[in-house]
Amino acid sequence: NAGVTQTPKFRVLKTGQSMTLLCAQDMNHEYMYWYRQDPGMGLRLIHYSVGEGTTAKGEVPDGYNVSRLKKQNFLLGLESAAPSQTSVYFCASSYSGGGSVLTFGAGSRLTVL
Amino acid sequence: DQQVKQNSPSLSVQEGRISILNCDYTNSMFDYFLWYKKYPAEGPTFLISISSIKDKNEDGRFTVFLNKSAKHLSLHIVPSQPGDSAVYFCAARSYGGSQGNLIFGKGTKLSVKP
């Protein structure tokens, strides 16, 4: 049982480049989330989805886009990467909202030079 | 302004003793609180939660206490073990909100020394 899988685990980008982080879950969860973790900042919600075909903005959505074309996948895109987007990104999923326990992936470390 | 505050960035405890991790919040609309544990190079994992209608929830060595009047919750680990060494995040949910409204604190790094 893989749970939540994130790819890639590490990536280095130059300013202005684009990339997509992929999150896949095999638990048939309805809700999926993208967080970023920065030193001294805790976990901040970027975007989330309450079901296939839906997305919503979180606390820090600027500079990111997301898509949920399939229930099991949630993609996070950076169209024009900036050094401020250097961070560790975590994907999570939950069976429902309203306090359901989140299952997190192992994280993707992104460095933008 | 931070709605969920973990004012101690780190805590060091001797094995076998009690670890107490604290969390303060400012939003009176929070009605559900969770603690997550995170090891290096891994994602956070759920540890324990408490609803605002309770003041205590216990699960094995882990107990969470909620003081609504003080807007304060704490996680007690008794006895502490070296494997408990990790970063602990406090999180809170607004009443009526979706999971998208889960707010995390900055975390407290716990070190349990043998």
Side-chain angles (χ1 to χ4, degrees), chain A residues 33 35 37 40-43 45 48 90 97-102 104-106, chain B residues 32 34 36 38 41-44 46 89 93 97-100 102 104-106:
Chain A
Y33 317 81
Y35 287 88
Q37 185 192 11
M41 295 295 292
L43 291 159
L45 183 65
Y48 65 103
F90 289 99
S100 289
V101 170
L102 302 182
F104 282 87
Chain B
Y32 194 72
L34 307 93
Y36 284 82
K38 184 184 180 304
E42 295 183 11
F46 170 74
F89 290 99
R93 184 200 71 181
S98 71
Q99 195 69 49
L102 199 62
F104 284 84
K106 293 183 177 181

Side-chain angles (χ1 to χ4, degrees), chain B residues 37-110:
Chain B
K37 179 169 73 173
K38 184 184 180 304
Y39 293 117
E42 295 183 11
T45 55
F46 170 74
L47 186 58
I48 193 169
S49 63
I50 187 167
S51 166
S52 60
I53 63 173
K54 296 184 176 182
D55 55 18
K56 176 183 175 181
N57 188 28
E58 190 172 355
D59 184 1
R61 296 186 297 113
F62 303 90
T63 303
V64 56
F65 295 92
L66 176 62
N67 182 334
K68 283 184 291 183
S69 61
K71 294 189 176 65
H72 176 84
L73 65 155
S74 60
L75 174 68
H76 292 211
I77 306 174
V78 183
S80 300
Q81 300 174 353
D84 296 328
S85 297
V87 176
Y88 290 79
F89 290 99
C90 172
R93 184 200 71 181
S94 295
Y95 173 76
S98 71
Q99 195 69 49
N101 289 333
L102 199 62
I103 307 297
F104 284 84
K106 293 183 177 181
T108 297
K109 183 176 182 180
L110 173 65

Side-chain angles (χ1 to χ4, degrees), chain A residues 63-76:
Chain A
Y64 305 94
N65 56 75
V66 287
S67 63
R68 183 100 180 267
L69 298 180
K70 294 182 178 181
K71 184 177 183 178
Q72 64 267 35
N73 295 336
F74 195 30
L75 278 62
L76 178 71

